[in-house]
Amino acid sequence: MALQLGEIIAALGGELHGDASLRIEGLAPLEAAQPAQLAFLSNPKYRQQLDASRAGCVIVAPALREQALARGACIVVDDPYLYFARVTQLWKRAQARPEGPAIHPSAAIADDAVIGEGARIGAHCVVERGARIGAGTVLKARVYVGEDCTIGARCLLHAGVVIGADGFGFAPNQGAWEKIEQLGAVRIGDDVEIGANTCIDRGALADTVIEDGVKMDNLIQVGHNCRIGAHTAIAGCVGIAGSANIGRHCMLGGAAMILGHLTIGDRVTISSGSFVARSILKPGLYTGIFPIDDNASWEKNAATLKQLHTLRDRIKALEKALGPRPEENEP
Amino acid sequence: MALQLGEIIAALGGELHGDASLRIEGLAPLEAAQPAQLAFLSNPKYRQQLDASRAGCVIVAPALREQALARGACIVVDDPYLYFARVTQLWKRAQARPEGPAIHPSAAIADDAVIGEGARIGAHCVVERGARIGAGTVLKARVYVGEDCTIGARCLLHAGVVIGADGFGFAPNQGAWEKIEQLGAVRIGDDVEIGANTCIDRGALADTVIEDGVKMDNLIQVGHNCRIGAHTAIAGCVGIAGSANIGRHCMLGGAAMILGHLTIGDRVTISSGSFVARSILKPGLYTGIFPIDDNASWEKNAATLKQLHTLRDRIKALEKALGPRPEENEP
Amino acid sequence: MALQLGEIIAALGGELHGDASLRIEGLAPLEAAQPAQLAFLSNPKYRQQLDASRAGCVIVAPALREQALARGACIVVDDPYLYFARVTQLWKRAQARPEGPAIHPSAAIADDAVIGEGARIGAHCVVERGARIGAGTVLKARVYVGEDCTIGARCLLHAGVVIGADGFGFAPNQGAWEKIEQLGAVRIGDDVEIGANTCIDRGALADTVIEDGVKMDNLIQVGHNCRIGAHTAIAGCVGIAGSANIGRHCMLGGAAMILGHLTIGDRVTISSGSFVARSILKPGLYTGIFPIDDNASWEKNAATLKQLHTLRDRIKALEKALGPRPEENEP
């Protein structure tokens, strides 16, 4: 398939410099793009790649207009990355195949489940009793939506997602575990995307809540009674234990793990691989990763780490032996 | 739905103080409960919440009887948390919808698979040849039980569970990998619960074994030939590598990772996020987590961590330079 | 079932010492094997287990021929572990049940998907439009292969695998996230094995690529536009963020996490549980794990770790106070 530059401008706006009839056959990264491809430059630190790019046209910000013009065709917009996102959407629509039935015949949908207008339910999906799927929401294949769970409008749930399995709750009883039935459900807002094989458990008494615009990657676990604030983005393999309260506009890096019953404030960013064992209320970037090293160095440092408290005491003793140091402020 | 307090007492026992005809319309946490709701107080450290609670009735231990009576209706029982668990079970039964067929018509069940009495097999489940599902066991939707695997009685397997995929075994062969066929199966005891999208691999030669009463959360990986002892509880995102031997009554926190071919004794608790690289035989609580910090502090500390062994040598050198210290016991 | 030793030799070669008519009823580890079972000894450090083994026959390397002969029957081969792998394959074929239809009737396969000769598609699989499944490839139950993705020949995909869900890509737009449609696909080479519930995302513009002979365990996440080099083995629960470039013949231990946009060279081994936040080009073993400890010790050391940079400054100050030390080389 191909779109002319002029068609892209007609659909998405932007200031075109170049031949509107140029056929664009695909999108590509700046450094790999060919003359029939469209690229974008968002981060000014890659501007030196611009001159060498063979792209047929480049999407740039106003600050790079002159440099881009010197190279060839360009589309000037305030936010090249956002514009690029919209080009991908345009492309996706332009190359879309004719759609099959809105509800795949193999889907198992309870009689009293409510499927919103324009929703699409893929092969082998299961929608249990009392569940509600919002208008325009897409359940790709093999999505499970448990009893009484609600999904908002325009959501996208990828293959293998499980919404509304039981939360993990048991009371000890003479060495065995007695099940605490999970009587809550899951409520998911509008415009939420949930990646493949991700699981969101139903609440114990109240509901687990995912607010509008949350974006979740694959293989994420969300425990019962969590609340995830609007427009928070969560990368793959993250685990969030029960009753954690995550703010709005947060970003959780891949494989970050969040302990239960704690609060993460708005606009907190957790680095990939970090374990969050306490509440974090102040916006900012937080990290806790053991730095990787060659194995021999790691072994020596890890062994010493187990004596770290003792080393600190030895430093104290040395300081004492050297006499009073009034300027010293021990933290 | 609603239950009168008297109906709850008739079903579960307990010493009721208050009006047996009071209609309870739901369960709620102590601090959120409304006058038509039942709450419980298990941990005495929250006893100050009791006086302020608006709950219609509170389940308490004998030690809190007087305080609870001063507030209003209460049910006095020896173990309020266990009693609460049973109330959730009562509630679940009371609000249950009429059940559909025991085996959903979309389930794919091999001719020679054995399905126990009263077992329920949900939509899109797959039960392969030679598999056995115990009496009263429930497979929610999209559960996979591989060839010759056995599931005990009264188990609950949530959506997306995979029992009996091949263990991960290969022999190196001139730079490529030669498959070691996995000839064992998986044997799961009675009263086991397994969370959504959790995977338990079949053994290489002998079986992978999950003993009675084990409770597993979502997205857990259990490698081939593991044995998990009775009544052990495993939180979400845990990984257990092949041939690990986990004791009885253990608790593995979320995202804990257990290396293969090691032994965890009975009654060992592993903190969330910890990596277990050695056997642990003594009961107790074990932890290994890099503490999260603001990113700038983490960067400085992580950089220094890579020199930790050198710092230790420098402390030694300082101690030597300061002269003999006979009282010093270097660990 | 049973095979005579002579049948095994006839199928796989090897130098048999012992009675070719001995019936072997199963395979077992050396220390557990019974007189009707076949075992192997690959690692010479376990050679002391050989004398005590009750196995009917043991597969050994030439160096252990004399010791093995003194005990009883043996098969001498250059690579006992590889030979053992082939015996498991022989066993698997010998005990195989008659096969059902190549494509299970419950599978949902798009009209224009291409299914190679001899491929087998299990129950409740979904193969979307434009997807191609190579000759001899097996999709166990509930595998999802998204639009336009290609799987090579002789692959094995276990239950719950998701190939070609959307990569995780969004552009910020006034506090919300705008979807970047994922226009690439997934290309998987020949002889690849992929474990249960593992997810491999489609590329944003170009494809995500898994080269020939890669072996992946369960619950692994591979982000968009990753490339995984031939014959790399990846253990369970690993996460690989987008655009990571993993070399050939690498080994990634369980739960290792690889940040995006970095390069791992050929023949790099990452220890289980390690977080890789930078490119690693030199072959070798790399590790980054916080060592587990009893909780009380961990607490003290973890608290001190947050002051590590300060401790280093205090050591520096002490060194300065003790006077010039010309031989000191601070790293």
Side-chain angles (χ1 to χ4, degrees), chain A residues 27-29 79 81-82 84-86 88-89 91-92 95 97-100 104 106 123-124 140-142 156 158-160 193 196-197 213 215-219 231-237 249-251 254-255 272-273 278 289-296 298 302 305-310 312 315-316 318-319 322 325 328 330-331, chain C residues 106-108 112 124-126 128-130 142-144 147-148 160-162 165-168 170-173 175-183 197-199 201 205 219-221 238-239 257 259 270-271 274-278 280 285-293 300-301 304-308 310-311 314-315 317-318 321-322:
Chain A
L27 315 179
D79 186 338
Y81 193 45
L82 176 59
F84 163 73
R86 288 179 174 159
T88 66
Q89 296 168 8
W91 212 263
K92 176 98 170 174
Q95 71 177 15
R97 297 167 164 101
E99 288 188 331
H104 193 280
S106 66
H124 300 312
K140 304 286 282 193
R142 299 210 286 101
L156 174 55
H158 287 283
E193 182 163 340
N197 283 347
K215 308 297 180 186
M216 301 173 71
D217 198 354
N218 301 348
L219 288 169
H231 308 297
T232 280
I234 306 178
C237 304
H249 304 288
C250 292
M251 291 197 286
S272 297
R278 60 173 174 89
I289 303 166
F290 200 107
I292 196 165
D293 211 339
D294 66 89
N295 189 68
W298 171 79
L305 180 56
K306 296 182 81 164
Q307 310 167 8
L308 189 54
H309 188 64
T310 310
R312 181 171 175 250
I315 293 170
K316 264 195 203 166
L318 285 163
E319 288 167 342
L322 272 172
R325 297 169 51 76
E328 181 78 47
E330 192 189 323
Chain C
S106 66
D112 66 348
H124 299 312
C125 285
V126 179
E128 299 276 24
R129 292 177 292 189
R142 300 210 285 100
V143 172
Y144 175 85
E147 294 196 1
D148 299 319
V161 164
V162 177
D166 282 349
F168 195 62
F170 300 90
N173 180 17
W177 297 103
E178 185 96 12
K179 183 164 177 82
I180 298 170
E181 292 290 351
Q182 304 291 300
L183 304 171
N197 283 348
T198 281
C199 302
D201 278 352
L205 299 175
L219 288 168
I220 291 167
Q221 155 68 358
V238 163
M257 295 289 159
L259 217 56
I270 304 295
S271 296
S274 300
F275 185 87
V276 182
R278 59 175 174 88
I280 295 178
L285 173 61
Y286 297 83
T287 307
I289 303 166
F290 199 106
I292 196 165
D293 212 339
K300 285 195 292 189
N301 288 321
T304 309
L305 180 56
K306 296 182 81 164
Q307 311 167 6
L308 189 55
T310 311
L311 289 185
R314 285 161 68 185
I315 293 171
L318 285 163
L322 271 172

Side-chain angles (χ1 to χ4, degrees), chain C:
Chain C
M1 66 157 279
L3 289 174
Q4 292 184 350
L5 276 181
E7 294 177 276
I8 295 171
I9 299 293
L12 303 177
E15 173 192 315
L16 174 65
H17 299 267
D19 177 3
S21 70
L22 182 71
R23 281 169 56 89
I24 296 295
E25 295 170 4
L27 314 179
L30 191 59
E31 71 282 9
Q34 299 300 310
Q37 291 179 312
L38 176 63
F40 76 100
L41 175 53
S42 172
N43 190 332
K45 89 175 177 190
Y46 296 120
R47 63 185 300 168
Q48 74 282 11
Q49 291 183 5
L50 181 56
D51 298 338
S53 175
R54 302 186 61 225
C57 179
V58 180
I59 308 161
V60 295
L64 292 175
R65 183 190 283 111
E66 298 313 313
Q67 187 184 346
L69 279 171
R71 192 204 66 91
C74 63
I75 298 171
V76 181
V77 293
D78 285 342
D79 187 339
Y81 193 45
L82 177 58
Y83 191 90
F84 164 73
R86 289 179 172 158
V87 176
T88 65
Q89 295 168 9
L90 180 66
W91 212 262
K92 176 99 169 174
R93 287 194 299 273
Q95 71 178 16
R97 296 166 165 102
E99 289 188 331
I103 297 181
H104 194 280
S106 66
I109 300 183
D111 289 345
D112 66 348
V114 177
I115 309 295
E117 197 177 321
R120 299 190 64 79
I121 314 288
H124 299 312
C125 285
V126 179
V127 182
E128 299 276 24
R129 292 177 292 189
R132 303 176 74 92
I133 310 296
T137 281
V138 175
L139 274 54
K140 303 286 281 192
R142 300 210 285 100
V143 172
Y144 175 85
V145 181
E147 294 196 1
D148 299 319
C149 294
T150 61
I151 317 284
R154 299 174 304 280
C155 293
L156 173 55
L157 276 62
H158 287 282
V161 164
V162 177
I163 304 297
D166 282 349
F168 195 62
F170 300 90
N173 180 17
Q174 300 183 293
W177 297 103
E178 185 96 12
K179 183 164 177 82
I180 298 170
E181 292 290 351
Q182 304 291 300
L183 304 171
V186 178
R187 277 186 289 134
I188 294 177
D190 298 333
D191 303 299
V192 170
E193 182 164 339
I194 302 179
N197 283 348
T198 281
C199 302
I200 303 176
D201 278 352
R202 64 176 60 243
L205 299 175
D207 293 343
T208 302
V209 176
I210 312 293
E211 295 184 355
D212 294 346
V214 168
K215 308 297 180 186
M216 301 173 71
D217 198 355
N218 301 347
L219 288 168
I220 291 167
Q221 155 68 358
V222 179
H224 52 180
N225 298 105
C226 287
R227 171 177 287 266
I228 300 181
H231 308 298
T232 281
I234 306 179
C237 304
V238 163
I240 306 178
S243 300
N245 191 339
I246 314 286
R248 297 160 61 101
H249 304 288
C250 292
M251 292 197 284
L252 308 185
M257 295 289 159
I258 317 291
L259 217 56
H261 296 275
L262 54 70
T263 299
I264 308 255
D266 294 345
R267 299 180 194 283
V268 166
T269 298
I270 304 295
S271 296
S272 297
S274 300
F275 185 87
V276 182
R278 59 175 174 88
S279 290
I280 295 178
L281 302 179
K282 196 177 148 196
L285 173 61
Y286 297 83
T287 307
I289 303 166
F290 199 106
I292 196 165
D293 212 339
D294 66 89
N295 189 68
S297 300
W298 171 77
E299 278 193 354
K300 285 195 292 189
N301 288 321
T304 309
L305 180 56
K306 296 182 81 164
Q307 311 167 6
L308 189 55
H309 188 64
T310 311
L311 289 185
R312 181 170 175 250
D313 290 344
R314 285 161 68 185
I315 293 171
K316 264 194 204 165
L318 285 163
E319 286 167 344
K320 199 173 164 196
L322 271 172
R325 298 170 50 79
E327 79 280 14
E328 181 79 46
N329 271 313
E330 192 191 320

Side-chain angles (χ1 to χ4, degrees), chain B residues 4-289:
Chain B
Q4 291 184 349
L5 276 180
E7 294 176 276
I8 294 171
I9 298 292
L12 304 177
E15 174 192 314
L16 175 64
H17 299 267
D19 177 2
S21 70
L22 182 71
R23 281 169 55 90
I24 296 296
E25 294 170 4
L27 314 179
L30 191 58
E31 71 279 11
Q34 300 299 311
Q37 290 179 313
L38 176 64
F40 76 101
L41 175 55
S42 172
N43 190 333
K45 89 176 178 190
Y46 297 119
R47 64 185 300 167
Q48 74 281 11
Q49 291 182 6
L50 180 55
D51 297 339
S53 176
R54 302 186 60 225
C57 180
V58 181
I59 308 160
V60 295
L64 293 176
R65 182 190 284 111
E66 298 313 312
Q67 186 183 347
L69 279 171
R71 193 204 65 93
C74 63
I75 298 171
V76 180
V77 293
D78 286 342
D79 186 338
Y81 194 45
L82 177 58
Y83 191 91
F84 164 72
R86 289 179 172 157
V87 176
T88 65
Q89 295 168 9
L90 180 66
W91 212 262
K92 176 98 170 174
R93 287 193 300 273
Q95 70 178 16
R97 297 167 164 100
E99 289 188 331
I103 297 181
H104 194 279
S106 66
I109 300 183
D111 289 344
D112 67 347
V114 177
I115 310 294
E117 197 178 321
R120 300 190 63 80
I121 314 289
H124 300 312
C125 285
V126 179
V127 181
E128 300 276 25
R129 291 178 292 191
R132 304 176 74 92
I133 310 296
T137 281
V138 175
L139 275 53
K140 304 286 281 190
R142 299 210 285 101
V143 172
Y144 175 84
V145 180
E147 293 195 1
D148 300 317
C149 294
T150 61
I151 317 284
R154 299 173 305 279
C155 292
L156 174 55
L157 276 62
H158 287 283
V161 164
V162 177
I163 304 297
D166 281 349
F168 195 63
F170 301 90
N173 180 18
Q174 301 183 291
W177 297 102
E178 186 96 11
K179 182 161 178 83
I180 297 171
E181 292 290 353
Q182 304 292 300
L183 304 172
V186 178
R187 276 185 290 133
I188 294 177
D190 298 333
D191 302 300
V192 170
E193 182 163 340
I194 303 180
N197 282 347
T198 281
C199 302
I200 303 176
D201 278 351
R202 65 176 60 244
L205 299 176
D207 293 343
T208 303
V209 177
I210 312 293
E211 295 184 356
D212 293 346
V214 167
K215 308 296 181 187
M216 301 173 70
D217 198 355
N218 300 348
L219 288 169
I220 292 168
Q221 155 68 358
V222 179
H224 51 181
N225 299 104
C226 287
R227 172 176 286 267
I228 299 181
H231 307 297
T232 280
I234 306 178
C237 304
V238 163
I240 306 178
S243 300
N245 191 338
I246 314 286
R248 297 160 61 100
H249 303 288
C250 292
M251 292 197 285
L252 307 185
M257 295 290 160
I258 317 291
L259 216 56
H261 296 275
L262 53 69
T263 299
I264 308 253
D266 294 345
R267 298 180 193 283
V268 166
T269 299
I270 304 295
S271 295
S272 297
S274 301
F275 185 87
V276 181
R278 59 173 175 88
S279 290
I280 296 178
L281 303 179
K282 198 178 148 196
L285 173 61
Y286 297 83
T287 307
I289 303 166

Side-chain angles (χ1 to χ4, degrees), chain A residues 106-108 112 123-126 128-131 142-144 147-148 159-162 165-183 196-202 204-206 219-222 237-240 257 259 270-271 274-278 280 285-293 297 300-302 304-308 310-312 314-315 317-318 321-322, chain B residues 27-29 38 40 79 81-82 84-92 95 97-100 104 106 123-124 140-142 156 158-160 193 195-197 213-219 230-237 249-251 254-255 257 267 271-274 278 289-296 298 302-312 314-316 318-319 322 325 328-331:
Chain A
S106 66
D112 67 348
H124 300 312
C125 285
V126 179
E128 300 276 24
R129 292 177 291 190
R142 299 210 286 101
V143 172
Y144 175 84
E147 293 195 2
D148 300 318
V161 164
V162 177
D166 281 349
F168 195 62
F170 301 91
N173 180 18
Q174 300 182 293
W177 297 102
E178 185 96 12
K179 182 161 178 84
I180 297 171
E181 292 290 352
Q182 304 292 300
L183 304 171
N197 283 347
T198 281
C199 302
I200 303 176
D201 279 350
R202 65 176 60 244
L205 299 176
L219 288 169
I220 292 167
Q221 156 67 0
V222 179
C237 304
V238 163
I240 306 178
M257 295 290 160
L259 216 57
I270 304 294
S271 296
S274 301
F275 185 87
V276 182
R278 60 173 174 89
I280 296 178
L285 173 61
Y286 297 83
T287 308
I289 303 166
F290 200 107
I292 196 165
D293 211 339
S297 300
K300 286 195 292 190
N301 288 322
T304 309
L305 180 56
K306 296 182 81 164
Q307 310 167 8
L308 189 54
T310 310
L311 289 185
R312 181 171 175 250
R314 286 161 67 186
I315 293 170
L318 285 163
L322 272 172
Chain B
L27 314 179
L38 176 64
F40 76 101
D79 186 338
Y81 194 45
L82 177 58
F84 164 72
R86 289 179 172 157
V87 176
T88 65
Q89 295 168 9
L90 180 66
W91 212 262
K92 176 98 170 174
Q95 70 178 16
R97 297 167 164 100
E99 289 188 331
H104 194 279
S106 66
H124 300 312
K140 304 286 281 190
R142 299 210 285 101
L156 174 55
H158 287 283
E193 182 163 340
N197 282 347
V214 167
K215 308 296 181 187
M216 301 173 70
D217 198 355
N218 300 348
L219 288 169
H231 307 297
T232 280
I234 306 178
C237 304
H249 303 288
C250 292
M251 292 197 285
M257 295 290 160
R267 298 180 193 283
S271 295
S272 297
S274 301
R278 59 173 175 88
I289 303 166
F290 200 106
I292 196 166
D293 211 340
D294 66 89
N295 189 68
W298 171 78
T304 310
L305 181 55
K306 296 182 81 163
Q307 311 166 6
L308 188 55
H309 188 64
T310 310
L311 289 186
R312 182 171 175 249
R314 286 161 67 185
I315 293 170
K316 264 195 205 167
L318 285 163
E319 287 167 342
L322 271 172
R325 297 169 50 76
E328 181 79 46
N329 271 314
E330 191 190 322

